Amino acid sequence: MNATDDKTIVKNYFNSTGFDRWRRIYGDGEVNKIQLDIRNGHQQTVDTVLSWLKADNNLAEISICDAGCGVGSLSIPLAADNAKVYASDISDKMVGEAKDRALETLGQKENPTFAVQDLEALSGSYHTVICLDVLIHYPQEKADEMISHLSSLAQSRVILSFAPKTFALSILKKIGSFFPGPSKATRAYLHREVDVVKILEKNGYFVERQSMTRTRFYFSRILEATRK
């Protein structure tokens, strides 16, 4: 399966069965134990990134691009703290849900600005570019292209999360492949941290902060890279 096929599958999945599943996971309604574990893990990743950004004490002064915003789990609290947020997602259903949640939470439509847009089509210039839990859907070569493009949009900082390729996680992924189900509609790609760091450095960034979110069913390595 090539990268183009992966992209088409991701778009179709999150505009159909995947949308209903992940809207529940990223919501606050009743879910099964595995989905609850993933919800908690994803929220930990979002909370880590929020804590980094708030620690700098300049949210009201910066612009942020949230690439692959999903239902707005990160964009909405950033806007609530007065950051200027441009949020996009490949799925029009996800963006529609994000807009509804933003209106319900913030009571206005001006910020965040939401758009249905492929990551590769993003343009503009932003103080900080963030991409959480997106790279897992794409192989390393495509991920390298995405990271390079996101790096070109950032004035100061890029924050990424990805499923790290370790021996233990590779074994777990292999075991999981023997138990296919309707909820596993996209391929899950693990990425070596050294490869992600290498492409960031190639684009003029160095890793300043890092963290790891680890629950029973959710694993995410988070890197904050700033321009050299």
Side-chain angles (χ1 to χ4, degrees):
M1 183 179 293
N2 60 42
T4 302
D5 291 332
D6 282 312
K7 181 178 174 182
T8 301
I9 288 173
V10 169
K11 183 175 182 178
N12 291 340
Y13 174 63
F14 284 103
N15 276 326
S16 56
T17 57
F19 169 70
D20 293 327
R21 176 179 185 252
W22 289 98
R23 179 178 58 177
R24 290 196 303 273
I25 290 176
Y26 293 152
D28 54 11
E30 185 176 348
V31 291
N32 63 42
K33 291 182 179 180
I34 294 176
Q35 292 172 333
L36 180 60
D37 182 86
I38 295 171
R39 173 191 290 173
N40 291 337
H42 177 73
Q43 189 59 50
Q44 288 177 37
T45 293
V46 169
D47 289 343
T48 295
V49 173
L50 286 172
S51 70
W52 288 351
L53 297 174
K54 290 180 180 180
D56 293 339
N57 293 316
N58 65 345
L59 273 179
E61 304 167 13
I62 66 174
S63 59
I64 296 175
C65 174
D66 183 10
C69 66
V71 297
S73 302
L74 178 66
S75 294
I76 294 170
L78 284 175
D81 281 327
N82 298 314
K84 183 64 177 177
V85 182
Y86 179 87
S88 66
D89 198 276
I90 195 172
S91 164
D92 60 282
K93 282 197 171 185
M94 283 289 188
V95 169
E97 178 70 14
K99 287 180 178 179
D100 290 342
R101 293 188 183 194
L103 185 60
E104 180 180 354
T105 303
L106 304 172
Q108 48 85 20
K109 299 180 180 180
E110 290 74 25
N111 187 40
T113 299
F114 290 104
V116 180
Q117 200 166 19
D118 292 353
L119 187 151
E120 298 93 328
L122 289 173
S123 61
S125 180
Y126 311 90
H127 177 277
T128 297
V129 175
I130 304 173
C131 186
L132 302 184
D133 293 351
V134 172
L135 299 179
I136 192 172
H137 301 297
Y138 300 96
Q140 187 63 50
E141 181 178 357
K142 188 62 176 176
D144 287 351
E145 294 176 5
M146 290 178 164
I147 294 170
S148 293
H149 181 60
L150 293 173
S151 298
S152 73
L153 305 178
Q155 301 164 3
S156 177
R157 172 174 53 192
V158 175
I159 299 176
L160 306 170
S161 75
F162 56 95
K165 189 173 186 178
T166 64
F167 178 76
L169 287 184
S170 295
I171 293 297
L172 284 175
K173 183 188 175 202
K174 184 66 175 178
I175 293 172
S177 68
F178 291 111
F179 301 95
S183 64
K184 297 197 299 183
T186 66
R187 302 183 80 179
Y189 294 96
L190 308 181
H191 300 287
R192 295 195 311 160
E193 183 171 345
V194 65
D195 292 330
V196 176
V197 171
K198 182 178 179 180
I199 195 67
L200 285 168
E201 291 179 343
K202 181 180 178 181
N203 285 278
Y205 290 80
F206 70 96
V207 175
E208 186 166 315
R209 284 185 280 204
Q210 53 191 300
S211 184
M212 178 72 192
T213 303
R214 181 184 291 105
T215 66
R216 289 187 65 189
F217 301 101
Y218 176 96
F219 302 86
S220 185
R221 185 66 163 162
I222 317 165
L223 300 179
E224 178 198 59
T226 57
R227 281 194 180 276
K228 294 181 180 179

